[in-house]
Amino acid sequence: MPCVSRRFLLSAAALLATGALAACSGGPESGDAGSSEGGPTLRVGASPSPHAEILSDFAAPRLAERGITLEVREYTDYLLPNQDVTAGELDANYFQHINYLNNYNEENGTDLVSAGKVHFEPMGVFAGRSSDLGSVPDGATISVPNDATNEGRALLLLQEAGVIELSADAGLTATANDIADNPHSVRILEQEAAMLPSTLADVDFSVINGNYAIDAGLTLSDAVAAESAESDVIANEYANVIATTPELADDERVRALVEVLQTDDFKAYLEQTFGDAVQAAF
């Protein structure tokens, strides 16, 4: 799905400072490494919730204390943030888990890297036309994300819930073709991840990514099944990361962002703001 909206979340001060710099001093334009006060700017692409919210509410003021201006650009798809980092329009992004990043690199011939783990969002199964996952109606429709890594993750969760059984060698990138046993003849409907909450009423159940569930006002307590936060697979494969290019992996601006997002204060912020829907991964 193309990017629906893409906007800058900048403080008024940052906007005014950038405009003054461009108009009066002939210095770098918005998005360049410099700022009006001579300090560096870090441009980060993020999905709206929880990533952009975390960056704007928690990270930006703490980076400002270090003299770094954080410029946050929101994306509602899973492709453009990586493309824009590779193209140099962003310094980093914050929206994807490790497994997705690795798969993206493999499919696109890119070499984006993780600068550090930040958090993970347990994926949940949410009720639509049906409510009891233990008594799935025969022929029920269950929607899942259509990207390779998240579809496999969703199917593994449905297997854990006893709805289907995958072939032994299906792995993390399983698809509906890997279903070995389907006692209720459920139909797996693959959809763009961002669409899943809006089509929930049209299916019996939907397996929704944490960020899109949060955007739609769904909480983990609403889910009829969810991934275990204690799972090693979740922590190692599905931790959300700060992604950047190899050249910027050790950049002081990127390192500073990772540092402020790997503190005890950040853990407390996550718990107070998102409860168990967003949990620290470090």
Side-chain angles (χ1 to χ4, degrees):
M1 183 183 77
C3 183
V4 176
S5 67
R6 192 172 156 198
R7 56 189 173 88
F8 299 118
L9 291 183
L10 300 171
S11 66
L15 280 171
L16 291 173
T18 302
L21 179 65
C24 302
S25 68
E29 296 178 356
S30 175
D32 289 344
S35 74
S36 62
E37 298 177 354
T41 295
L42 178 64
R43 305 163 302 171
V44 182
S47 52
S49 293
H51 307 83
E53 184 176 349
I54 287 170
L55 292 175
S56 297
D57 293 350
F58 185 89
R62 287 159 178 80
L63 289 179
E65 292 173 358
R66 302 188 183 199
I68 300 171
T69 299
L70 180 61
E71 179 182 304
V72 184
R73 304 183 188 183
E74 284 194 11
Y75 293 75
T76 56
D77 80 317
Y78 280 172
L79 294 177
L80 286 175
N82 279 336
Q83 293 173 358
D84 284 355
V85 170
T86 299
E89 294 189 24
L90 297 172
D91 300 305
N93 65 48
Y94 175 37
F95 76 97
Q96 65 194 318
H97 52 64
I98 297 169
N99 196 270
Y100 183 91
L101 175 61
N102 292 338
N103 184 263
Y104 177 88
N105 280 334
E106 183 178 346
E107 291 188 349
N108 294 276
T110 50
D111 60 354
L112 298 177
V113 298
S114 165
K117 297 179 183 179
V118 180
H119 78 265
F120 61 89
E121 305 152 17
M123 181 177 271
V125 182
F126 294 87
R129 296 180 304 217
S130 301
S131 59
D132 186 359
L133 197 60
S135 300
V136 178
D138 290 342
T141 298
I142 302 178
S143 58
V144 300
N146 66 358
D147 61 279
T149 56
N150 284 308
E151 179 174 0
R153 184 181 178 185
L155 293 175
L156 287 169
L157 179 54
L158 292 175
Q159 175 175 255
E160 184 179 332
V163 177
I164 58 172
E165 185 176 334
L166 298 169
S167 60
D169 59 349
L172 298 177
T173 56
T175 70
N177 292 330
D178 294 302
I179 297 176
D181 188 23
N182 188 355
H184 299 288
S185 300
V186 298
R187 174 193 173 213
I188 300 299
L189 176 63
E190 299 165 332
Q191 291 187 325
E192 178 73 26
M195 292 179 56
L196 295 171
S198 64
T199 58
L200 184 56
D202 301 322
V203 298
D204 292 277
F205 299 95
S206 183
V207 190
I208 303 177
N209 297 73
N211 60 307
Y212 291 125
I214 292 170
D215 279 344
L218 299 169
T219 67
L220 204 59
S221 60
D222 296 322
V224 295
E227 292 169 326
S228 170
E230 306 301 320
S231 167
D232 288 339
V233 173
I234 298 301
N236 294 325
E237 298 288 343
Y238 300 117
N240 283 218
V241 299
I242 301 298
T244 187
T245 62
E247 294 77 18
L248 291 180
D250 292 319
D251 184 275
E252 64 177 7
R253 298 165 299 150
V254 176
R255 296 313 313 163
L257 175 60
V258 173
E259 287 171 9
V260 301
L261 295 178
Q262 290 184 343
T263 63
D264 289 340
D265 284 347
F266 182 61
K267 286 183 179 179
Y269 163 82
L270 288 181
E271 183 175 354
Q272 293 166 5
T273 308
F274 301 105
D276 59 1
V278 183
Q279 304 179 33
F282 52 88

